Amino acid sequence: MTALTPAVRDRILSLPSTELPSYIYDLTALGEHAASVRAALPERVELYYAAKANPEPAILAALGSYVDGYEVSSGGELTHVAKAMPGHPLAFGGPGKTSAEITAALKQGVERFHVESVHELHMLGDLAGRITPDTPVAVLPRFNLAVPDGSLAGSSLTMGGRPTPFGLDPCQADTVIRLLTDDTYPQLEPRGIHAHLASGLEAPEQLAVAASVVTWAEELAGRHGIRLAEVNIGGGMNVDYTRPTRRFDWVAYGAGLARLADRHPGLTLRIEPGRALTAYCGWYTTEVLDIKHSHGEEFAVVHGGTHHLRTPATKGHDQPCSVLPVQHWPHPWPRPRARHDRITLTGQLCTPKDVLARDIPAAGLRAGDRVAFSLAGAYAWNISHHDFLMHPQPGFHFMNTGPAPEAERNVS
Ligand SMILES: *Cc1c(COP(=O)(O)O)cnc(C)c1O
């Protein structure tokens, strides 16, 4: 169970039943969180937001004064973020970029290309020569590096350090740097190295990975006698769904990055978190439709389900939640009610996979009570299969509960 803020709790209880299920986002809390992340990072570390975690325009805007730019991973995100946040720098990543997407990105003037393969590098160089021949294009090849033993062990989603379709194999590094430095594609400028290897790492593991990526990048640059100005060490800061009030240790992480930056003067470090920025600002809120007793267990069927909040199905976890009891029961017949201490919360879909939280303590839960699922601000609505069973879409409410905090940079 999670502590709801009074403002969010009031908002949930003020919604008429006809407006449930709904997503509620606290934009003020998001701004405060982003301000504290920015303040924990050294001045020299650039913070980009990985838009795929939650690309709602109001979310992108609430982050606007705390981030240096946005990482986009498709042509769709590129168009969407450029329209929502005009004038903000964009970095374009993601595997399998098409020539149409690269063309759009060149015309848009994205400030970094994270290149995922040798073929993609040729395509980018060729298109840049034809579309923007007078404009240098800053390239960061993304590498799937081997990292210190065990540093990815805690990860929930591993994109690197093992065979995956993400990034370039380290054995291609010399080929890639040669292509970027000989005169094949004069527009392409080798700006640095990109490595997003895993999601769900805590600060010490993130720092170990970052240090090894930087060391590898400097060795590569040294071998080719070039200077790499930048290393992008990706996102993947952990969000702990089992302990929803806990936060990634941004202060320890920022201090570690400051030490790393001090060992490499002149190198710009960039990070691009998604989940750990926006997960906490969103709630999926709904009401219990029915309570069922089945072969000795109990199920609460809530309005909506994993077609709106797919996160627990994809991550195989229980989405943390709070129950908001509602006294009113409008019907003359008995109110369905839980008799056991533990109950499984399911949605309205005709599949046993539609489980939001399994066997959670919710003694006395009744039809008509409200439930707020927290940590639903990232990889939630936008990764869900909305059209399955053709239920209506939820409502969306963006709350502003106070003034936005000043962006503060930790000058160290
Ligand atoms: C998804 C992704 C991120 C963000 O990951 P989080 O786990 O949400 O922080 C950053 N960089 C790349 C390349 C990604 O694919």
Side-chain angles (χ1 to χ4, degrees), residues 53-123:
N54 186 336
E56 287 287 342
I59 300 276
L60 299 176
L63 290 170
S65 33
Y66 312 108
V67 299
D68 297 288
Y70 298 86
E71 191 265 348
V72 296
S73 287
S74 73
E77 284 189 354
L78 175 74
T79 309
H80 172 82
V81 178
K83 180 157 175 270
M85 301 305 294
H88 287 252
L90 304 181
F92 185 27
K97 297 180 190 72
T98 65
S99 68
E101 289 177 312
I102 293 176
T103 300
L106 286 166
K107 288 185 175 159
Q108 180 65 45
V110 308
E111 58 119 39
R112 298 286 182 275
F113 279 86
H114 300 161
V115 168
E116 293 253 350
S117 77
V118 173
H119 166 64
E120 192 182 300
L121 189 59
H122 283 295
M123 189 155 56

Side-chain angles (χ1 to χ4, degrees), residues 122-160:
H122 283 295
M123 189 155 56
L124 174 62
D126 177 57
L127 288 166
R130 288 190 281 129
I131 295 167
T132 49
D134 303 321
T135 317
V137 174
V139 173
L140 279 78
R142 175 183 181 181
F143 284 100
N144 173 357
L145 299 178
V147 292
D149 270 358
S151 54
L152 300 182
S155 147
S156 53
L157 214 58
T158 323
M159 269 74 84

Side-chain angles (χ1 to χ4, degrees), residues 217-238:
E218 301 243 289
E219 277 170 18
L220 178 66
R223 241 182 2 254
H224 290 265
I226 59 166
R227 197 180 93 79
L228 292 178
E230 238 173 74
V231 173
N232 183 322
I233 47 184
M237 294 71 186
N238 190 39

Side-chain angles (χ1 to χ4, degrees), residues 48-53 71-73 93-95 114 116 142 156-157 159 166 194-201 206 232-238 271-278 378-379:
Y48 271 52
Y49 171 57
K52 79 171 187 284
E71 191 265 348
V72 296
S73 287
H114 300 161
E116 293 253 350
R142 175 183 181 181
S156 53
L157 214 58
M159 269 74 84
F166 304 106
H194 180 283
H196 169 77
L197 296 176
S199 276
L201 297 183
Q206 282 279 3
N232 183 322
I233 47 184
M237 294 71 186
N238 190 39
I271 61 171
E272 48 184 30
R275 191 186 304 270
L277 284 178
T278 49
Y379 304 104

